[in-house]
């Protein structure tokens, strides 16, 4: 493909994408394919000679689209949102064209410097404590990770390294293996499984703290676990507080847990993967109170802030905790400015070496929406969730299962878990809309998350009418 064909195909592709997004509601939100559907539809080897472009695009409709779950359909209410906006898509095209690998400042100065400034912009939108911003020339700063799971793992590994150094300084004969055996990480029983996984990968113990009646971690429960473990000769070192848990969007008591972590000298990581975007709205910022006690904080603009995947924003209070833990400097990666103290080499802040120019899409989105536009997006989703909650509350057959704070509603039919499992089967079987469940304690619960940028009140009302009709049929069938 030469430049002139690229221009033509590029225009066609932009049209295809715009048609896809505009017409997405007409597509079945969840595909009707069985596992293994794709292999028989394409050749078993790559073509020896080039294929025609037209044939590839025909196959996109024939082979790919039938197997796509349409996350951006306004009928998609599963998981949490994943962001999608035209400015982010355009910026991603440019990122692909520049195609630099920004592992060090020298490897592409704009890639590093825009990222640092975008993390400051975003940090200010959230009114993060100044200690986390790079602008003031302090010890903190921000970085884009690929996912919240990576951010948690990086925080855990940095915390492990800090704890090991401290323990070995206090007891010089102690081996690293002996320290690792004793280290314990903590999070609430509602935390995302990526926290336990980080502990598994990091080779340390993990303990789930029982959450309270509102599915939130309290300091008293954490303290009890810390005391028990210390009495057993273990060494607590790392706590994850979740703001906006995956099952029901509950909020750990950060203002209680934070001081305890500081007092006990534990690394506190705050995971606000979904909810973090809402903190740009003054009316939701109080949910972030207590972040001043954290060592690291992370949320996913790629969930709810219109910056397409992947873009997970992470800030640390002391960047030396990350860079000190993971720094290796082979000669082929060194450059003349690295010891100047003026620049950042982001390769020391993350697991992989290579990194894309992801800050471009933040820059495009922030500039083209403005903070006001982004706030409007968040507020609209919260409003739609409240509308759904109110509709559920008006139907006495249903109950709301957790407080609705942002864009997620947890609800169920009053009755057995089996009844609710059957209802979800019918909902997802009909493929009009798509939902996923969760467990809250021993209850099987349906989650209704406002996801699509295009979601409107009419979609919520249609979805609710559809759920009600399926519930009526299900309850009627039970009485026959
Ligand atoms: N943490 C929380 C609270 C989440 O809700 C999720 C995903 O929904 C994650 C972490 C994992 O996010 P990622 O896919 O970016 O690793």
């Amino acid at each position: 493909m030469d430049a002139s064909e690229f221009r033509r195909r590029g225009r066609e592709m932009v049209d295809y994408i715009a048609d896809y997004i505009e017409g997405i509601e007409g597509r079945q939100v969840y595909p009707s394919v069985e596992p293994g559907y794709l292999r028989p539809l394409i050749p078993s080897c790559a073509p020896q000679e080039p294929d025609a472009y037209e044939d590839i695009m025909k196959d996109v409709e024939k082979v790919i689209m039938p197997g796509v779950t349409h996350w951006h359909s306004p009928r998609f209410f599963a998981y949490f949102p994943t962001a999608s906006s035209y400015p982010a898509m355009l910026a991603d095209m440019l990122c692909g064209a520049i195609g630099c690998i920004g592992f060090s400042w020298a490897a592409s100065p704009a890639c590093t410097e825009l990222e640092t400034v975008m993390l400051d912009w975003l940090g200010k939108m959230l009114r993060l404590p100044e200690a986390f911003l790079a602008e003031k020339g302090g010890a903190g700063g921000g970085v884009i990770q690929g996912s919240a799971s990576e951010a948690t793992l990086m925080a855990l590994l940095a915390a492990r390294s800090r704890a090991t150094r401290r323990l070995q300084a206090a007891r010089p004969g102690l081996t690293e293996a002996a320290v690792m055996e004793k280290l314990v990480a903590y999070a609430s029983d509602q935390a995302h499984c990526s926290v336990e996984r980080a502990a598994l990968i990091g080779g340390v113990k993990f303990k789930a703290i029982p959450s309270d009646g509102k599915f939130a971690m309290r300091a008293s429960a954490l303290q009890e676990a810390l005391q028990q473990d210390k009495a057993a000769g273990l060494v607590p070192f790392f706590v994850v507080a979740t703001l906006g848990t995956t099952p029901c969007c509950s909020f750990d008591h950060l203002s209680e847990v934070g001081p305890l972590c500081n007092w006990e000298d534990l690394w506190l990581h705050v995971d606000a993967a979904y909810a973090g975007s809402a903190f740009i709205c003054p009316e939701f910022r109080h949910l972030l109170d207590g972040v001043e006690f954290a060592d690291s904080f992370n949320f996913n603009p790629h969930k709810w802030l219109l910056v397409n995947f992947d873009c997970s924003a992470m800030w640390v209070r002391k960047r030396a905790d990350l860079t000190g833990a993971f720094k290796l400097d082979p000669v082929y990666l060194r450059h003349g400015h690295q010891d100047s103290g003026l620049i950042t080499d982001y390769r020391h802040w993350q697991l992989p070496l290579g990194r894309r120019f992801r800050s471009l899409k933040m820059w495009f989105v922030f500039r083209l929406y403005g903070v006001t536009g982004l706030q409007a997006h968040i507020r609209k989703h919260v409003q739609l969730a409240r509308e759904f909650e109110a509709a559920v509350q008006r139907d006495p057959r249903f109950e709301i299962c957790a407080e609705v704070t942002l864009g997620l509603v947890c609800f169920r039919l009053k009755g057995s878990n089996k009844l609710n499992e059957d209802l979800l089967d019918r909902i997802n079987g009909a493929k009009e809309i798509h939902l996923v469940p969760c467990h809250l304690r021993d209850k099987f619960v349906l989650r209704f998350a406002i996801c699509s940028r295009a979601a409107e009140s009419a979609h919520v009302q249609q979805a609710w009418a559809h759920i009600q009709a399926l519930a009526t049929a299900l309850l009627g069938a039970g009485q026959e």
Side-chain angles (χ1 to χ4, degrees):
M1 186 179 287
D2 60 13
S4 82
E5 191 185 353
F6 175 71
R7 284 177 208 278
R8 185 156 60 89
R9 298 306 186 190
R11 288 187 190 105
E12 285 172 17
M13 182 59 92
V14 167
D15 280 341
Y16 180 84
I17 291 169
D19 287 346
Y20 169 69
I21 300 282
E22 278 191 340
I24 199 165
E25 208 180 324
R27 294 182 188 256
Q28 185 174 286
V29 60
Y30 190 78
S32 294
V33 294
E34 295 299 323
Y37 90 95
L38 188 141
R39 188 181 283 279
L41 298 180
I42 61 174
S44 56
C45 296
Q48 200 62 34
E49 301 301 328
D51 271 346
Y53 184 83
E54 288 82 357
D55 290 341
I56 301 176
M57 287 311 289
K58 273 186 214 147
D59 281 349
V60 168
E61 276 302 328
K62 225 170 69 198
V63 179
I64 303 300
M65 285 299 173
V68 170
T69 302
H70 298 288
W71 281 64
H72 303 293
S73 165
R75 300 165 187 271
F76 183 93
F77 302 102
Y79 313 105
F80 274 137
T82 189
S84 170
S85 70
Y86 292 121
M89 287 183 231
L90 288 175
D92 249 352
M93 279 175 72
L94 182 59
C95 168
I98 294 173
C100 64
I101 306 294
F103 49 74
S104 68
W105 178 86
S108 198
C111 179
T112 295
E113 295 202 11
L114 186 65
E115 181 161 334
T116 307
V117 178
M118 284 306 101
L119 270 289
D120 277 353
W121 278 20
L122 187 54
K124 287 185 205 170
M125 280 187 225
L126 267 68
R127 288 196 278 131
L128 278 185
E130 277 186 2
F132 288 107
L133 307 183
E135 178 186 75
K136 301 287 173 189
V143 59
I144 303 175
Q145 304 283 0
S147 67
S149 311
E150 270 173 66
T152 303
L153 178 60
M154 286 303 292
L156 179 135
L157 295 177
R160 190 185 77 178
S161 163
R162 187 174 85 177
T164 307
R165 275 197 312 273
R166 284 180 184 172
L167 279 170
Q168 286 181 322
R171 291 174 52 194
L174 213 56
T175 64
E176 210 169 310
V179 173
M180 294 251 304
E181 265 184 12
K182 292 183 185 302
L183 294 177
V184 192
Y186 303 83
S188 108
D189 57 12
Q190 302 298 310
H192 192 263
C193 62
S194 52
V195 181
E196 187 169 357
R197 198 146 174 264
L200 211 62
I201 296 169
V204 295
K205 295 180 177 50
F206 171 77
K207 195 167 250 187
I209 305 298
S211 53
D212 70 4
K214 289 186 157 189
F215 309 104
M217 179 165 68
R218 303 216 70 125
S220 51
L222 175 62
Q223 189 154 32
E224 206 179 307
L226 297 178
Q227 274 163 1
Q228 267 175 16
D229 287 348
K230 284 197 286 187
L234 297 172
V235 180
F237 80 109
F238 182 67
V239 175
V240 176
T242 311
L243 300 181
T245 58
T246 318
C248 70
C249 200
S250 56
F251 290 79
D252 288 342
H253 289 265
L254 196 52
S255 297
E256 283 180 18
V257 168
L260 175 62
C261 290
N262 286 183
W263 173 255
E264 296 279 350
D265 208 9
L266 310 176
W267 183 298
L268 174 61
H269 176 70
V270 177
D271 173 5
Y274 161 70
S277 299
F279 306 152
I280 65 165
C281 298
E283 66 273 31
F284 299 124
R285 173 57 179 80
H286 68 95
L287 295 166
L288 185 58
D289 287 353
V291 71
E292 58 276 15
F293 300 107
D295 293 279
S296 49
F297 168 68
N298 165 249
F299 84 99
N300 287 347
H302 71 226
K303 275 192 163 55
W304 203 12
L305 212 58
L306 297 171
V307 183
N308 290 39
F309 192 85
D310 56 339
C311 182
S312 186
M314 179 187 193
W315 290 264
V316 284
R317 178 176 294 282
K318 271 201 205 156
R319 51 182 184 270
D321 281 333
L322 287 183
T323 56
F326 312 119
K327 196 166 182 170
L328 283 180
D329 257 337
V331 70
Y332 49 84
L333 298 177
R334 291 183 66 84
H335 58 87
H337 298 277
Q338 71 177 38
D339 299 321
S340 67
L342 295 173
I343 53 108
T344 299
D345 284 339
Y346 274 124
R347 71 175 185 276
H348 303 308
W349 299 52
Q350 61 173 25
L351 290 179
L353 173 67
R355 56 202 331 274
R356 299 191 307 124
F357 201 160
R358 291 178 288 207
S359 55
L360 276 175
K361 55 191 173 186
M362 296 173 91
W363 197 42
F364 275 49
V365 168
F366 296 167
R367 293 181 68 181
L368 282 166
Y369 278 89
V371 177
T372 310
L374 296 170
Q375 288 170 333
H377 171 66
I378 300 287
R379 287 176 179 140
K380 181 172 164 197
H381 275 200
V382 176
Q383 177 53 36
L384 291 176
R386 300 222 166 112
E387 193 178 319
F388 185 81
E389 179 192 23
V392 175
Q393 281 167 334
R394 282 194 296 272
D395 187 330
R397 299 172 301 173
F398 286 88
E399 60 186 348
I400 295 289
C401 307
E403 194 174 328
V404 177
T405 310
L406 298 174
L408 174 69
V409 183
C410 287
F411 72 107
R412 73 198 296 275
L413 274 170
K414 291 172 186 162
S416 67
N417 282 350
K418 170 79 174 59
L419 184 67
N420 282 285
E421 283 165 24
D422 287 349
L423 176 60
L424 185 68
D425 279 350
R426 288 186 181 213
I427 292 170
N428 283 337
K431 296 183 177 158
E432 275 278 307
I433 60 173
H434 188 50
L435 305 186
V436 293
C438 70
H439 275 117
L440 290 177
R441 309 275 181 252
D442 54 351
K443 282 188 175 170
F444 183 90
V445 168
L446 281 65
R447 292 170 79 265
F448 189 91
I450 308 295
C451 289
S452 167
R453 180 169 54 85
E456 296 290 346
S457 174
H459 299 111
V460 170
Q461 295 303 334
Q462 278 164 20
W464 176 238
H466 178 62
I467 293 168
Q468 279 183 307
L470 292 174
T472 301
L474 177 65
L475 294 169
Q479 281 164 4
E480 278 161 16

